[in-house]
Amino acid sequence: MLAPFLKSIFEAGTDEAGRGCLAGPVTAAALILPKSFKNNTLNDSKQLSESKRLLLRPLLESEAVCFGVAHIYPEKIDEINILNASILAMHKAIDQLDPLPEFIIVDGNRFKPYKKIAHECIIKGDSKYLSIAGASVLAKTYRDAYMEEIDKEFPMYNWKQNKGYPTKEHREAIRTHGITKYHRKSFRLLPEQLSLAL
């Protein structure tokens, strides 16, 4: 059973999705859940089926005190690196919260202070706290929807299936068709990166 709060009943959980992808944005979500919120299905989005994530998303959106979702796109990822882009996405998601939280809990072990709000990084926080798990579900579902949309523009990469992750199929498509404006040029897109003409 996931815990409701770490320190404050008015805290936001935040998490990101897509950090290890070769294409598409890194997406973060932040949300504040009410004290009364309970859900036995909610867990780290990676532990849930797609159908469960899609059922949870509208529930989280309707029951949250507030939530925010932000994409950081490949050009910015290439400019500032994926770690900084992930943190920027979380900050931009928190920007959308109204009211702002009194405390922020972050999945993982890296974060930069947001304004003057205290925060705590929690390893595997998405499997420990409801608000981080909820943020992980929102980040994953919003990013998946984005990847399914751009798949229509470049169907040869099958992003609707692999969501931009470095699958064998995705890398074979890069080898065959080259890269797109949605690929992260600072990433090792192919094992033989030195011979890939960017």
Side-chain angles (χ1 to χ4, degrees):
M1 178 68 76
L2 277 67
F5 301 104
L6 177 62
K7 290 187 177 179
S8 166
I9 61 167
F10 207 64
E11 70 190 20
T14 185
D15 197 7
E16 52 72 28
R19 189 166 164 175
C21 293
L22 304 180
V26 61
T27 303
L31 85 162
I32 298 173
L33 290 171
K35 186 177 181 179
S36 59
F37 183 84
K38 290 183 177 65
N39 188 282
N40 292 326
T41 304
L42 183 57
N43 200 342
D44 167 15
S45 65
K46 295 183 288 298
Q47 306 299 321
L48 298 171
S49 65
E50 182 178 20
S51 60
K52 284 184 178 175
R53 290 194 297 265
L54 291 173
L55 284 171
L56 282 164
R57 175 174 153 177
L59 176 78
L60 290 163
E61 292 177 345
S62 64
E63 295 202 22
V65 174
C66 54
F67 72 93
V69 179
H71 299 298
I72 300 297
Y73 297 99
E75 316 82 66
K76 192 68 176 177
I77 293 170
D78 291 338
E79 179 189 335
I80 65 174
N81 80 42
I82 188 60
L83 174 62
N84 287 324
S86 298
I87 294 170
L88 178 61
M90 289 190 244
H91 281 204
K92 286 186 172 293
I94 298 166
D95 281 342
Q96 298 168 40
L97 300 181
D98 185 15
L100 284 174
E102 298 166 350
F103 191 73
I104 300 165
I105 52 176
V106 185
D107 184 58
N109 62 357
R110 302 290 291 277
F111 193 65
K112 293 177 183 175
Y114 177 85
K115 297 187 176 178
K116 293 185 178 179
I117 301 171
H119 72 270
E120 188 156 334
C121 294
I122 302 163
I123 303 293
K124 299 190 187 306
D126 48 8
S127 60
K128 296 174 181 174
Y129 292 95
L130 284 167
S131 61
I132 300 181
S136 79
V137 168
L138 292 180
K140 175 70 174 157
T141 53
Y142 273 83
R143 187 181 185 281
D144 284 358
Y146 178 90
M147 296 307 294
E148 287 161 17
E149 196 58 36
I150 64 172
D151 175 80
K152 298 171 187 172
E153 193 177 347
F154 293 99
M156 65 284 281
Y157 300 94
N158 197 18
W159 290 331
K160 68 179 184 294
Q161 189 71 39
N162 63 51
K163 305 300 191 285
Y165 281 91
T167 62
K168 183 178 179 182
E169 173 193 43
H170 189 184
R171 285 198 151 125
E172 282 301 320
I174 293 171
R175 187 174 281 110
T176 302
H177 302 286
I179 63 170
T180 69
K181 60 186 177 182
Y182 297 113
H183 281 98
R184 302 174 184 178
K185 296 179 180 66
S186 58
F187 276 47
R188 190 180 186 201
L189 300 175
L190 292 174
E192 63 276 19
Q193 185 84 14
L194 290 176
S195 64
L196 177 67
L198 296 176

